[in-house]
Amino acid sequence: MSKTILITGGGGGVGRSTARTFLEAGWKVGLVGRRAGALEETADGHHNALILPCDVTDEDAVDACFGQARDAWGRVDALFNNAGVNVAAGPIDEVSVDDWRDVINVNLTGSFIAARAAFAIMRAQDPKGGRIINNGSVSAYVPRWGSGPYTASKHAITGLTRSISLDGRPHNIACGQIDIGNALTDMAEKMTRGVPQADGSIAVEPVMDVAHVARSVLYMADLPLEANVQFMTVMATNMPYIGRG
């Protein structure tokens, strides 16, 4: 019997690559995102793909589309909590409160809403249990210059991951976090042209194929529930991360 996973932010980038990797591995994949057309592109007609247009910041919509997946499959084995946004880099006094709220609303509140909905399904199904994998970032540990909203959201994701891990123990629900550094997606393409560094310079940064992230998420999800990757960092080998240098 095929295992099942919901992937938020499935319309592009890490979400698209991960979804296709899981489909190739024989999983049933629920593609969650705001743009139905982009989700259709990710699915590319695959018979095991379920298109679930949904805004992760809308709890009623998330509950409905996760319930649709449960009803279609009979159970939900995993969630990859991947949806996220960022804003232009800048010192804190140049970041608008609206931009702060947008990032926190999607990256943190959206992740909470999706995890909450998946947890409820996993707790109630028979046999109960499942796995939640949160997309953190290397910024969950070491910030970039001018990244206040994004870095704060990802630090909070680490706390959410640890909290869900404890909440899930009585219900056979495992929770882990993948922290990604410089995977080459549309969001990271600018790194190949040069991005601001902490010393004020602009520098090109090494990047890696996003497929390495997708395979890492698949490894985490494929483990039996008695084992868990609590935190995994997957990054371009020579990117400025350790000491940000």
Side-chain angles (χ1 to χ4, degrees):
M1 180 177 178
S2 296
K3 290 198 285 187
T4 62
I5 186 169
L6 291 159
I7 297 177
T8 67
V14 168
R16 172 170 288 179
S17 179
T18 302
R20 289 175 172 172
T21 295
F22 274 75
L23 288 167
E24 290 168 4
W27 286 61
K28 294 179 179 178
V29 177
L31 294 163
V32 180
R34 288 177 292 184
R35 298 173 296 136
L39 301 177
E40 295 281 1
E41 288 180 19
T42 298
D44 196 25
H46 200 290
H47 65 282
N48 274 342
L50 181 62
I51 307 301
L52 298 167
C54 175
D55 183 339
V56 295
T57 66
D58 182 337
E59 60 266 37
D60 291 335
V62 170
D63 287 345
C65 81
F66 280 31
Q68 182 182 340
R70 176 202 58 215
D71 294 344
W73 298 331
R75 66 181 291 110
V76 172
D77 294 306
L79 164 68
F80 181 32
N81 221 352
N82 167 70
V85 297
N86 201 356
V87 293
I92 190 168
D93 63 325
E94 296 179 13
V95 176
S96 73
V97 176
D98 283 344
D99 279 349
W100 165 271
R101 287 182 175 135
D102 285 344
V103 172
I104 296 300
N105 199 30
V106 175
N107 294 8
L108 180 55
T109 305
S111 292
F112 166 79
I113 289 170
R116 177 178 179 272
F119 193 102
I121 292 171
M122 293 170 180
R123 179 178 180 175
Q125 62 195 7
D126 184 20
K128 65 181 179 179
R131 188 182 307 276
I132 296 169
I133 300 171
N134 292 325
N135 186 344
S137 168
V138 293
S139 290
Y141 304 93
V142 181
R144 285 186 176 277
W145 171 86
S147 67
Y150 186 81
T151 293
S153 74
K154 294 304 185 177
H155 272 65
I157 287 295
T158 299
L160 183 65
T161 297
R162 289 176 168 144
S163 182
I164 295 170
S165 294
L166 292 177
D167 292 350
R169 285 180 179 177
H171 310 292
N172 204 28
I173 299 171
C175 185
Q177 179 172 316
I178 185 163
D179 297 309
I180 302 163
N182 288 20
L184 185 54
T185 62
D186 290 344
M187 185 182 292
E189 187 275 334
K190 61 188 176 183
M191 295 175 184
T192 66
R193 294 179 278 111
V195 290
Q197 306 296 307
D199 63 2
S201 65
I202 302 293
V204 171
E205 294 189 10
V207 294
M208 65 175 175
D209 192 323
V210 69
H212 301 312
V213 176
R215 287 196 295 270
S216 298
V217 177
L218 179 61
Y219 170 77
M220 294 172 75
D222 259 340
L223 287 172
L225 289 176
E226 67 183 20
N228 187 42
V229 175
Q230 189 67 62
F231 295 97
M232 177 189 288
T233 301
V234 183
M235 54 178 264
T237 304
N238 294 326
M239 70 170 285
Y241 168 58
I242 303 301
R244 279 296 187 194

